[in-house]
Amino acid sequence: MTARVKESRGQEMALTAAVAVVIVLLSLLPMLRLLKEVVAPGGVVSDTAIRLGLSSSATWVATWHTLVVGVFGTLLAVVLGTFVALLVTLTDIRGRGVLVLCYVMPLMIAPQVTALAWLQLFGPASPFLKLLGLAPPLGTRNPLYSTEGIILLLGVQYGPLVFLLVRAGLRKLPRELVEAARAGGAGWFTVLRTVVLPLMTPSIMAAAALAFVSCVGNFGIPAFLGIPANYLVLPTLIYQKLAGGGPAVLGETAFLSVLIGVIAMAGIVTQEIMSRRRDYRISSTSLSAEPYELGRWRVPVEAGIWLLIILILVLPLFGLVLTSLVPGYGIALSSATATLDNYRFVLFEHAGSRRAFFNSFALSIAAAVFAVLVAVPVGYLIAWGKQRWIRLVNLLIELPYALPGVVLAIAALLMFLRPIPFTGIQLYNTVWIILYAYLARFLVLALRPTVSGYHQIDRALEEAAQVAGAGLFTRLRTIVFPLVAPAAIAGGLLIFMTALSELTVSALLWSSGSETIGVVMFSFEQGGDSNYAAAMSAITVAITFVLMLVTNLLAPYLPSGVLPWRD
């Protein structure tokens, strides 16, 4: 064996070892630590979990509430997302690119921002309703402080998630099957009922499973709409217990977080079982179906779908901006009262919000840069590796993102409650524990597009460099990274947008001095300072929208589907 071959194999082993360390630290250890807290050495549920969790009526009430909003929020998301996907993909409506961008945008906006925007649109102090003369008297209960309000916003928030998955399936719908049904005299609705929807069943069920997991683990919307109405779900119950009891209640909250994980996994397992009941495979691989010509119905259909965009995106954001421009609660907006003082306050005067902007930007940039650098070598193993354990690597990396964020947050608290062994380094009650959780949770957002990029690369260049004697690390640096960099960077931008105003994880991990934008926004709203919360939300929405447009510049260099809002 030559020295060059030995060096190449040594580098491959070093890369594999480095990837294994990353996976163990970010995925395996937190999950094992969480299970250790809940499961006793004998393999049964611990006495603490039984006494404080199973015997508590609050646990079962919150569990029931979680199931209610999870199931019905998912149903609404599936109906909305599937309906829009069918219209956008299978008909000849115009302005498809802008329509996709606008419909997907609520998915890119933090859930608490969505909740705040809708609250400011329908509340008794709504500047928008005051402009129209429709505002109810001050003190009137906001109709969104209810079960129905939470379900509505969960459906709006995750309808775009269903849309993306169903649309991806519709793009693979064989043209000849649709044309054969049409040639046989079947009308469009008959084709939809007998051909399209049956073939799309796997995509719809997969979308429903992901939407259910997202609804069950959502913190922002139930926190903004449910806590004022004393309607607690499991994530908000965990938050209240930690806020009131601190580390003393970690055992109980660990049990509750595992319960959320069990509910989420039950949804995924149900989807898997239903998918295996029939064979949905398609033998043909033709071009996608020709768009259905709406004819005289095109203008009404286009008007209807744009009306939907106005209702779920434009009006709430408009109400949010109006609230950010009024000097106080209940004051009507006019040329005399309009002010930018709220923006000046949150950007320059309030110490907590200034720290929050700095912390969130620093954490988001750090998580994005780390994920891009790690995604390239990890993606290399996943896309081009031939080892049997590669599939397990992919599954472990997906785990922290697939499970609700509350589960990861509690696991991080348990891991770092004490100083790190042998070093004495303390991460608990610092900004570093939030960074750890972000690294674990969002790595997969950079990995997915990077792996897609690898699949579209001709490996001949990398193999030629290997034949010429270039080592693995040299090939990664000079050949592979430049080719997959656009996809990895696009994933990094997705991470930045997602982490910037994240709340679910940081609400459980923050401490004084480590506030994030989502935490301060939530604090403002809880304290009755909705105008300050609206100003912070408007800033984050503007940043998100600008980044979405900037990321479009990378579109010509990216694999199809990397940018979810790109048509």
Side-chain angles (χ1 to χ4, degrees):
M1 183 181 295
T2 65
R4 187 172 293 173
V5 173
K6 288 182 178 180
E7 180 185 2
S8 178
R9 290 190 176 180
Q11 290 181 354
E12 290 179 4
M13 292 178 64
L15 177 63
T16 302
V19 170
V21 169
V22 170
I23 292 172
V24 169
L25 290 178
L26 298 183
S27 297
L28 204 55
L29 276 183
M31 297 302 110
L32 291 176
R33 180 63 185 88
L34 182 62
L35 290 176
K36 179 185 175 183
E37 187 70 18
V38 176
V39 180
V44 296
V45 180
S46 66
D47 293 339
T48 302
I50 294 175
R51 187 179 73 255
L52 299 178
L54 297 176
S55 62
S56 171
S57 61
T59 297
W60 299 116
V61 170
T63 301
W64 172 248
H65 290 169
T66 301
L67 290 172
V68 169
V69 300
V71 170
F72 288 101
T74 298
L75 288 176
L76 180 57
V78 168
V79 171
L80 285 175
T82 303
F83 174 73
V84 176
L86 291 171
L87 287 180
V88 168
T89 311
L90 299 183
T91 69
D92 62 345
I93 61 171
R94 294 163 292 189
R96 186 177 285 108
V98 179
L99 180 62
V100 171
L101 175 68
C102 291
Y103 187 67
V104 171
M105 190 168 179
L107 186 62
M108 307 307 299
I109 297 173
Q112 71 272 12
V113 175
T114 299
L116 183 64
W118 281 75
L119 285 173
Q120 302 314 309
L121 185 64
F122 289 106
S126 168
F128 176 72
L129 294 182
K130 286 183 179 293
L131 286 176
L132 299 178
L134 300 175
L138 291 178
T140 304
R141 180 184 177 87
N142 194 312
L144 293 176
Y145 289 143
S146 61
T147 309
E148 295 78 13
I150 297 174
I151 291 171
L152 171 65
L153 294 202
L154 288 175
V156 169
Q157 184 78 25
Y158 297 116
L161 177 63
V162 176
F163 165 82
L164 292 172
L165 294 176
V166 174
R167 188 171 184 236
L170 288 171
R171 282 176 159 174
K172 299 177 183 178
L173 186 68
R175 177 185 296 181
E176 62 266 23
L177 293 181
V178 176
E179 291 179 349
R182 298 287 303 280
W188 176 245
F189 288 103
T190 302
V191 173
L192 186 67
R193 179 174 54 84
T194 60
V195 177
V196 176
L197 290 180
L199 290 176
M200 289 302 102
T201 299
S203 296
I204 294 173
M205 287 194 298
L210 287 179
F212 179 75
V213 172
S214 300
C215 289
V216 165
N218 189 286
F219 175 79
I221 290 173
F224 274 66
L225 305 186
I227 290 178
N230 198 29
Y231 188 90
L232 297 181
V233 294
L234 286 172
T236 53
L237 178 62
I238 289 174
Y239 168 78
Q240 288 198 340
K241 286 184 177 295
L242 276 178
V249 297
L250 271 178
E252 183 180 359
T253 56
F255 168 75
L256 295 177
S257 67
V258 170
L259 184 56
I260 297 174
V262 169
I263 293 172
M265 289 299 102
I268 295 177
V269 170
T270 301
Q271 175 254 326
E272 286 287 335
I273 293 173
M274 294 180 66
S275 297
R276 293 176 181 176
R277 295 175 65 181
R278 285 182 55 187
D279 188 353
Y280 296 97
R281 288 176 296 180
I282 301 172
S283 59
S284 60
T285 56
S286 69
L287 297 173
S288 57
E290 282 287 332
Y292 176 73
E293 295 182 2
L294 294 171
R296 61 190 179 92
W297 290 102
R298 184 159 77 165
V299 172
V301 168
E302 289 174 345
I305 199 166
W306 279 108
L307 178 61
L308 177 65
I309 295 296
I310 291 173
L311 291 176
I312 67 174
L313 177 67
V314 178
L315 282 182
L317 292 183
F318 184 59
L320 185 72
V321 172
L322 292 184
T323 300
S324 71
L325 296 175
V326 297
Y329 180 83
I331 299 176
L333 182 66
S334 66
S335 58
T337 60
T339 178
L340 295 176
D341 287 346
N342 297 324
Y343 290 92
R344 185 178 70 248
F345 179 80
V346 299
L347 287 173
F348 305 111
E349 296 178 5
H350 188 262
S353 61
R354 287 203 315 269
R355 281 197 306 271
F357 276 108
F358 176 81
N359 289 338
S360 289
F361 271 90
L363 289 168
S364 301
I365 292 172
V369 171
F370 171 85
V372 169
L373 295 178
V374 171
V376 174
V378 175
Y380 180 91
L381 287 179
I382 292 176
W384 290 346
K386 298 179 180 179
Q387 297 88 343
R388 294 182 178 180
W389 45 263
I390 291 297
R391 187 173 181 181
L392 178 61
V393 169
N394 197 26
L395 176 63
L396 289 174
I397 294 175
E398 292 265 0
L399 191 61
Y401 190 75
L403 289 171
V406 172
V407 178
L408 178 63
I410 297 298
L413 284 173
L414 291 168
M415 277 187 66
F416 300 115
L417 186 61
R418 296 182 178 86
I420 299 175
F422 308 112
T423 66
I425 298 174
Q426 180 75 55
L427 298 188
Y428 182 73
N429 271 349
T430 70
V431 72
W432 301 109
I433 191 173
I434 301 178
L435 178 60
Y436 169 84
Y438 283 6
L439 297 179
R441 183 157 177 79
F442 298 130
L443 173 60
V444 69
L445 294 182
L447 184 62
R448 287 172 182 167
T450 303
V451 170
S452 297
Y454 274 109
H455 287 155
Q456 295 195 6
I457 291 176
D458 185 355
R459 201 179 176 183
L461 287 175
E462 194 255 352
E463 291 174 340
Q466 184 178 11
V467 171
L472 175 60
F473 296 154
T474 301
R475 300 197 307 271
L476 284 174
R477 187 181 71 253
T478 61
I479 304 294
V480 174
F481 185 76
L483 292 175
V484 300
I489 292 172
L493 288 173
L494 288 175
I495 290 173
F496 181 86
M497 286 185 279
T498 304
L500 183 62
S501 51
E502 191 277 337
L503 178 61
T504 303
V505 170
S506 52
L508 301 179
L509 300 181
W510 78 279
S511 58
S512 179
S514 62
E515 304 93 335
T516 63
I517 290 175
V519 168
V520 174
M521 195 186 301
F522 182 45
S523 299
F524 277 143
E525 176 64 15
Q526 291 292 96
D529 295 316
S530 297
N531 48 337
Y532 297 147
M536 293 190 75
S537 300
I539 292 170
T540 60
V541 170
I543 293 172
T544 299
F545 187 68
V546 169
L547 285 176
M548 290 173 69
L549 296 180
V550 170
T551 310
N552 277 341
L553 298 177
L554 292 172
Y557 311 101
L558 299 176
S560 176
V562 167
L563 301 181
W565 57 86
R566 181 81 177 181
D567 184 54

